[in-house]
Amino acid sequence: MKTKNEWMGSVYGPATQKFPERKYNFTNLSDMDPEPIYTADDLEGWDAERDLGYPGEFPYTRGVQPSVYRGKLWTMRMFAGFGSAEQTNERFHALLRAGQTGLSTAFDLPTLMGYDSDHHFSRGEVGKCGVAVSSLADMEILFQGIDPETVTTSMTINSPANAIWAMYIANAQKQGKDLNKIGGTIQNDILKEFIAQKEFIYPPAPSVKLVIDTFEWGPRIVPKWNFISVSGYHIREAGATGVQELAFTLADGFHYVEKALERGLDIDEFAPRISFFWDIHNDFFEEIAKLRAARRIWARQMRDRYGAKNPKSWMLRTHSQTAGVSLPAQQPLNNIARVAIQALAAVLGGTQSLHTDAFDEALALPTEEAATIALRTQQIIAYETGVAGVVDPLAGSYYVEKLTDDIERAAMGYIEQIRMMGGVEEGIDNGFFQLEMAEAAYRYQREVETKDRIIVGVNDFVQDAVEVPIQLIDPEVERVQEARLAQVRRERDPARVEQALADLRDTAVTGANSMPAFLECAHAYVTLGEQMDVLKTVYGEYVEPAVV
Ligand SMILES: C[C@H](C(=O)O)C(=O)SCCNC(=O)CCNC(=O)[C@H](O)C(C)(C)COP(=O)(O)OP(=O)(O)OC[C@H]1O[C@@H](n2cnc3c(N)ncnc32)[C@H](O)[C@@H]1OP(=O)(O)O
């Protein structure tokens, strides 16, 4: 048989002289330039036992479970939340009735920033991009009729994660639920807030301390809970390439591991409950290879660098979401096709949990119809295409294996660079992440503007605007929240509130684990804003330095 080079020289070369390659930018979204073809010659030095293995075994390239989707389909977990707790509770029930298999909560901006709905900073934003939760009273309504022992719930909350998690747990305790049985995830990934999304309150060091409190407390008290979802999603949405997303996110994950080890925690006690979250963009094979490379890097580093012995500590389990940033407002119905392709990549990449974006995402929060089509897209992939019937069906593809290797190598290059500069917190301080991402975003935008990269409906194949109905938020929600907060403040025990806040403040002064104090605050109906404010008196507030 000919070698690849021989074929390129004797067959491909002459053929493309006669009929030249299209003048098009074939690079993927990480600026890697694929060759026209891959063969066994590209896998020289590749070792199937070392680099691929079997599903459910180190290094987990092929998936964390031996049976992957033949055992259990990925969790269909649609991110939802708007308006009041009552309205979101209704949407949650509708999604479960439609066949969704887990819940995922979107909070409004005031909640994400640690402000109560009646704070003057919250005006105009209450219930807009998610649900408003200011105290246990809201949490009780939000999850009414949903059993925390049978439905796992994710909550996208970062700076105020400890307080919101404590409210969820307090609500379960009030219903007499067994904390050993309740499962779910809090995002709780503050590092990517400093890198990308910018929803921070305190400076990096105390913020990371609060995260490590959950690493210590979670496995002992709520053992089935994933107390972190280390997130590449927001890094990617802020302009990073796929390789940068992978590298920066894994570097964040390693940073948390190192901080937990510094605290003296046992790696095999906390690491099995670290989870991840990736953004799945348009380049189909790049995204599949990214997920495979992510599992392999995590497994290798956790075993060989950090000395974890429990195989569960080596397994990178992940949620994925189709890329919001890839869904333009122009010709929005085309986004249904984009989401289907991205979701297929997430599934072929072996995700554990998936959110599919609604086609109207660029315009507003999804309407119920748009959210249902997005869920149905997952169900079509799961039940009609056959892709869930064979484990890691792309293994052994010359291209996919080579790309997995290349992405692993490129991401490890970044991870080593970050380690050399002194770690993630140093990279935040010196603007490294921001500059790298800005450069990548600029390059991408230039490619779009010069039509070096075609986005259908945006810079080519354009047509007149198509109107679609959008979801509007009733401003009345602000009044509902104000009234409920007033009632909470009137009816709670002020002495208990005062004591709970004093105890929470003490943890910031002494460095003690804050979770017991957050839990008591939740039970005492201390509001979110009051809790965040008392910690500000010790930790201060973070002001981002200018990056030049
Ligand atoms: C963009 C937006 C914003 O900011 O605005 C956002 O951030 S939205 C962000 C939204 N984020 C999310 O929704 C995060 C979602 N994350 C998660 O659900 C989790 O962290 C996850 C990724 C680990 C997935 O957890 P999950 O419970 O859904 O799924 P798992 O795969 O862990 O499955 C549940 C249980 O079934 C077991 N299991 C699963 N598959 C198999 C199999 N084939 N054979 C045997 N057992 C299996 C698992 O070990 C586990 O058990 P056991 O538990 O006993 O091990």
Side-chain angles (χ1 to χ4, degrees), residues 17 104 126 133 142 161 204 219 227 262 275 278 307:
Q17 259 180 358
S104 176
V126 177
V133 171
L142 182 59
F227 46 76
E262 271 173 30
S275 69
W278 305 115

Side-chain angles (χ1 to χ4, degrees), residues 65 67-68 75 77 154 156 185 187 234 273 275 318 352:
Q65 304 288 352
S67 60
V68 189
T75 309
R77 197 182 288 286
S154 168
T156 294
T185 302
Q187 193 161 86
H234 315 80
R273 282 293 166 197
S275 69
T318 195
Q352 275 59 58

Side-chain angles (χ1 to χ4, degrees), residues 305-327:
R305 183 182 174 95
Y306 296 106
K309 304 238 167 1
N310 181 353
K312 288 197 164 161
S313 307
W314 308 335
M315 294 177 188
L316 183 152
R317 300 162 310 126
T318 195
H319 175 69
S320 299
Q321 177 167 336
T322 56
V325 77
S326 75
L327 307 180

Side-chain angles (χ1 to χ4, degrees), residues 71-346:
K72 173 188 166 291
L73 281 170
W74 64 91
T75 309
M76 298 182 192
R77 197 182 288 286
M78 304 296 276
F79 186 51
F82 65 97
S84 65
E86 287 86 348
Q87 288 169 310
T88 300
N89 177 264
E90 238 174 71
R91 177 68 70 89
F92 280 171
H93 282 286
L95 284 165
L96 290 170
R97 276 195 306 275
Q100 175 166 311
T101 50
L103 293 177
S104 176
T105 319
F107 295 100
D108 69 359
L109 194 59
T111 307
L112 293 170
M113 298 302 294
Y115 291 107
D116 291 336
S117 299
D118 60 359
H119 192 283
H120 63 278
F121 279 4
S122 305
R123 268 186 215 136
E125 279 296 336
V126 177
K128 278 274 161 65
C129 72
V131 60
V133 171
S134 300
S135 79
L136 179 58
D138 297 325
M139 195 62 97
E140 288 164 355
I141 296 166
L142 182 59
F143 289 102
Q144 218 156 49
I146 295 162
D147 181 357
E149 289 183 6
T150 53
V151 178
T152 58
T153 292
S154 168
M155 290 182 285
T156 294
I157 190 80
N158 293 283
S159 226
N162 310 54
I164 292 289
W165 188 29
M167 287 179 199
Y168 185 90
I169 293 168
N171 183 35
Q173 284 177 320
K174 282 187 74 181
Q175 296 170 41
K177 300 294 173 186
D178 180 353
L179 295 193
N180 289 303
K181 292 193 184 142
I182 72 168
T185 302
I186 39 171
Q187 193 161 86
N188 196 25
D189 172 16
I190 199 64
L191 290 171
K192 65 91 174 57
E193 296 298 332
F194 293 108
I195 291 173
Q197 191 169 236
K198 314 291 180 185
E199 285 166 2
F200 41 67
I201 301 176
Y202 315 114
S207 297
V208 171
K209 182 264 176 200
L210 289 169
V211 173
I212 303 305
D213 287 352
T214 66
F215 278 53
E216 185 175 26
W217 191 81
R220 294 173 197 169
I221 310 295
V222 204
K224 287 175 73 145
W225 199 276
N226 305 297
F227 46 76
I228 194 164
S229 177
V230 191
S231 301
Y233 192 88
H234 315 80
I235 292 176
R236 187 75 182 273
E237 296 276 305
T241 67
V243 165
Q244 289 172 345
E245 175 197 4
L246 180 62
F248 300 170
T249 307
L250 289 172
D252 288 348
F254 298 137
H255 188 82
Y256 294 123
V257 166
E258 286 164 18
K259 291 289 164 190
L261 293 175
E262 271 173 30
R263 192 177 291 187
L265 306 184
D266 175 354
I267 193 164
D268 286 322
E269 209 175 290
F270 67 78
R273 282 293 166 197
I274 296 175
S275 69
F276 284 83
F277 173 27
W278 305 115
D279 196 0
I280 307 298
H281 214 296
N282 279 333
D283 194 298
F284 190 67
F285 291 109
E286 179 186 353
E287 295 304 326
I288 294 167
K290 183 181 80 184
L291 264 60
R292 299 170 93 244
R295 284 193 293 272
R296 199 156 74 193
I297 296 175
W298 184 252
R300 288 180 167 158
Q301 294 282 306
M302 290 302 280
R303 189 187 73 173
D304 302 337
R305 183 182 174 95
Y306 296 106
K309 304 238 167 1
N310 181 353
K312 288 197 164 161
S313 307
W314 308 335
M315 294 177 188
L316 183 152
R317 300 162 310 126
T318 195
H319 175 69
S320 299
Q321 177 167 336
T322 56
V325 77
S326 75
L327 307 180
Q330 296 92 331
Q331 302 177 37
L333 291 171
N334 294 346
N335 292 331
I336 296 173
R338 291 189 178 94
V339 166
I341 293 164
Q342 295 168 5
L344 185 60

